Amino acid sequence: MKLSKSVMHKKAGRWHRPKKAVESKKAAEAPAPVVKQIGGDKNNGQRTILPKGPKFYAAEDVPKPLNRIRAVRPTRLRSSITPGTVLILLAGRFRGRRVVFLKQLPSGLLLISGPYRINGVPIRRVNQAYVIATSTKVDVSGVPSLDKFTDAYFKKPSKVAGKKSEEEFFAAEEKKKEIAPERKDDQKLVDESLIAAIKKVPTLRQYLGARFSLRKGQKPHEMKF
C-alpha cells in the first residue's frame, strides 16, 4: 500500500526533528572571457573566448512576477445616479429601504440619507454596487454643508489597547455606543432640508417610508424603477 507524503512525514517522525540552519551561498562570480592570440593574416591576431554556459537548465519555465505600477483612479459613478436620485439598498442593515443620494465621496462610496425622520436611515456611506437607481428624484440643492461630509468624517476614533479585568470586560459589553452630538446636529440639518423638498411632491413621503420587496411572479429585470 502506497502511503501519502504527509503520512510518511508523520511516520518517519520528521515533524519533531530540529531544522538545520542553511547557510546562504554566495553567487559565484562569472569567469571573465579569455583573449587568445592567434596567427594568420585574416584572423585579426586575437580571438575572444566566452565562458561556457551551465549544462543544467530548468525543464519548465519558472514564472516571474511582473513589476506592475497600478495607478489609483477615481471610481466612475454610474450615469443613472445623480445628486437627488432615490436609491434602493440591496444589502446591509437597511436593505430594502429607499434613500436619497447626496454626493459621491473621494473613496468612490455614495453618501446617502433616508432621511432619518422618515425611514430611520441616517447619513452613511454605501457602495454603488449594492444599490438600484430609480427614476424618482429629490431636490437636494438646499442641503447645507455637504462639503464637511468626507471619508474622514466617518472614521472611527482609535482605541487604546490594554488588558482589562473581568469586571471591566463585562461592563464594556453593557455600555451602549453613544452618538456624538455633532452628528445628531448634522442629521437634523440634512433632514430638515430634505423633508422640505419631499413635502412639495405628493405621496413621495409615503414612497420613501415604504420598504421595497418583490412578490411572487414579479421579475426585477423586467421592472422599471
Side-chain angles (χ1 to χ4, degrees):
M1 181 178 178
K2 188 176 180 181
L3 300 177
S4 64
K5 187 177 180 180
S6 60
V7 175
M8 290 302 299
H9 181 82
K10 184 177 181 181
K11 282 183 171 293
R14 300 192 190 107
W15 54 274
H16 66 81
R17 294 180 185 176
K19 296 182 179 179
K20 297 180 180 179
V22 180
E23 297 180 358
S24 59
K25 297 181 180 179
K26 296 183 179 179
E29 297 181 357
V34 180
V35 179
K36 287 189 176 182
Q37 303 294 332
I38 57 175
D41 299 335
K42 298 181 180 181
N43 293 330
N44 296 329
Q46 63 181 7
R47 182 173 296 171
T48 303
I49 301 175
L50 298 175
K52 294 182 179 180
K55 295 181 179 180
F56 171 80
Y57 63 92
E60 298 179 359
D61 296 334
V62 180
K64 295 182 180 179
L66 301 176
N67 295 328
R68 297 181 180 178
I69 302 175
R70 297 184 179 180
V72 180
R73 299 175 183 174
T75 305
R76 185 180 299 176
L77 187 65
R78 280 153 47 184
S79 59
S80 58
I81 301 177
T82 55
T85 303
V86 176
L87 308 175
I88 300 174
L89 302 181
L90 300 178
R93 177 184 172 188
F94 300 101
R95 60 182 177 272
R97 289 294 183 185
R98 295 180 174 93
V99 296
V100 181
F101 168 65
L102 301 176
K103 72 170 187 177
Q104 186 182 25
L105 299 174
S107 62
L109 298 176
L110 309 182
L111 181 69
I112 57 100
S113 181
Y116 182 78
R117 287 173 57 184
I118 293 179
N119 51 27
V121 182
I123 300 172
R124 59 190 291 118
R125 300 175 296 173
V126 296
N127 194 321
Q128 63 177 335
Y130 302 105
V131 300
I132 295 177
T134 66
S135 56
T136 308
K137 291 190 177 182
V138 179
D139 184 15
V140 295
S141 58
V143 179
S145 62
L146 278 180
D147 297 335
K148 72 180 297 184
F149 297 106
T150 58
D151 293 304
Y153 179 85
F154 298 94
K155 187 177 181 181
K156 295 181 180 180
S158 58
K159 297 181 180 179
V160 180
K163 293 185 178 180
K164 297 181 181 180
S165 62
E166 186 176 354
E167 296 178 357
E168 293 176 349
F169 179 77
F170 289 104
E173 290 183 351
E174 295 175 358
K175 187 178 180 181
K176 294 183 179 180
K177 183 180 178 181
E178 297 181 358
I179 302 173
E182 297 178 358
R183 288 205 174 189
K184 293 181 180 179
D185 296 338
D186 295 338
Q187 185 69 61
K188 289 180 181 179
L189 290 174
V190 173
D191 282 2
E192 288 176 0
S193 56
L194 286 177
I195 291 174
I198 291 169
K199 286 181 178 179
K200 298 177 182 179
V201 182
T203 68
L204 183 56
R205 186 185 182 100
Q206 292 78 4
Y207 174 74
L208 292 173
R211 188 185 293 270
F212 172 78
S213 61
L214 292 174
R215 296 181 181 178
K216 186 177 181 181
Q218 290 182 334
K219 301 177 181 179
H221 61 280
E222 295 180 355
M223 298 173 66
K224 183 179 180 182
F225 296 94

